[in-house]
Amino acid sequence: MSKTPASKTAAPKAPSKVAKATAVGKSADVDAPDSTVSLLDSPVRPSTPTSTSNNSRPAVKTDPKLSSAWKTKPGAELTDAEVLAMPDSEYMNDKQVEFFRAKLTQLKEDILSNAGETTEHLREDTSIVPDPADRATIEEEHALELRTRDRERKLLKKIMQSLQRLESGEYGYCDETGEPIGLGRLIARPTATLSLEAQQRRELKQKMFGD
């Protein structure tokens, strides 16, 4: 009979250890989120910037030749990407002026060449075509070509004005605000005389009040 209570009294001691262990485990579990977060965050945070910075470096230095090509190449031989890679402090320097002069001159020569081809086409097609359908087709082609040449004639006038602005030092700056138009816009539209914001304001006024 004495062994039975001894075993009964010994039995509670075992759960007390388990209770202590569980209590310790619970306290560890309570502290675990903070410790695990700090342990997870501390090594991950420095590692991700370093990895992204290492990955971002090649993006910045994708082609170092682009950013320095303008220093060694003539302006007329620069590509669009090389001009766009030039620093903002070099906006409308001698190299860029030479680049846009070559671009505008090439556009002018293309338009004049197209005008000469149109004249030759009109001379070749002056023969009388007996079939009315064929004659109507030829006349429609001539009308379309003449409309295209008329648009190019207006563009040619703008090109000549842009070349004059290059000589006077006004090229590349907005007529309304005097701010830089931007290389991207000038490369896409070499005859631009307004910045994108000024152009949008003008188009909005035209929609509201008409031409």
Side-chain angles (χ1 to χ4, degrees), residues 15-210:
S16 64
K17 294 180 181 179
V18 175
K20 291 180 181 180
T22 53
V24 173
K26 287 181 180 179
S27 62
D29 291 339
V30 172
D31 298 333
D34 296 335
S35 60
T36 53
V37 170
S38 61
L39 289 174
L40 289 175
D41 288 346
S42 57
V44 170
R45 287 178 181 173
S47 62
T48 49
T50 52
S51 60
T52 53
S53 62
N54 291 335
N55 294 332
S56 61
R57 287 176 184 173
V60 176
K61 300 180 180 180
T62 50
D63 192 355
K65 294 181 180 179
L66 291 177
S67 58
S68 60
W70 64 277
K71 298 179 181 179
T72 56
K73 293 175 62 175
E77 298 179 3
L78 292 174
T79 62
D80 295 350
E82 290 171 346
V83 172
L84 289 173
M86 293 176 65
D88 295 339
S89 59
E90 300 296 334
Y91 185 73
M92 284 300 120
N93 62 358
D94 294 340
K95 294 293 183 70
Q96 291 186 7
V97 169
E98 187 179 354
F99 168 79
F100 284 109
R101 183 183 288 110
K103 184 178 285 290
L104 290 167
T105 303
Q106 184 63 43
L107 286 174
K108 182 182 73 172
E109 293 177 354
D110 293 341
I111 291 176
L112 295 176
S113 176
N114 292 337
E117 292 178 359
T118 299
T119 304
E120 292 297 328
H121 292 166
L122 295 177
R123 289 177 181 177
E124 292 175 358
D125 295 336
T126 54
S127 59
I128 299 175
V129 180
D131 189 358
D134 293 341
R135 186 166 59 251
T137 301
I138 293 174
E139 291 177 357
E140 182 65 24
E141 291 177 354
H142 288 173
L144 178 61
E145 194 168 3
L146 289 174
R147 286 196 296 269
T148 303
R149 297 292 87 80
D150 184 61
R151 288 194 297 268
E152 290 183 349
R153 178 182 60 81
K154 296 177 182 178
L155 178 60
L156 180 62
K157 182 179 179 180
K158 294 181 179 180
I159 290 174
M160 300 304 296
Q161 292 174 351
S162 297
L163 289 172
Q164 292 176 0
R165 289 168 61 86
L166 274 172
E167 298 300 329
S168 62
E170 299 176 357
Y171 184 83
Y173 296 93
C174 180
D175 283 347
E176 290 187 359
T177 63
E179 297 177 354
I181 296 176
L183 294 176
R185 177 167 169 77
L186 288 173
I187 290 175
R189 190 180 182 88
T191 59
T193 58
L194 297 173
S195 63
L196 184 59
E197 294 78 7
Q199 183 67 33
Q200 291 174 348
R201 288 194 299 268
R202 175 172 293 188
E203 292 176 356
L204 182 60
K205 289 180 181 179
Q206 290 177 352
K207 291 180 180 179
M208 294 176 61
F209 305 106

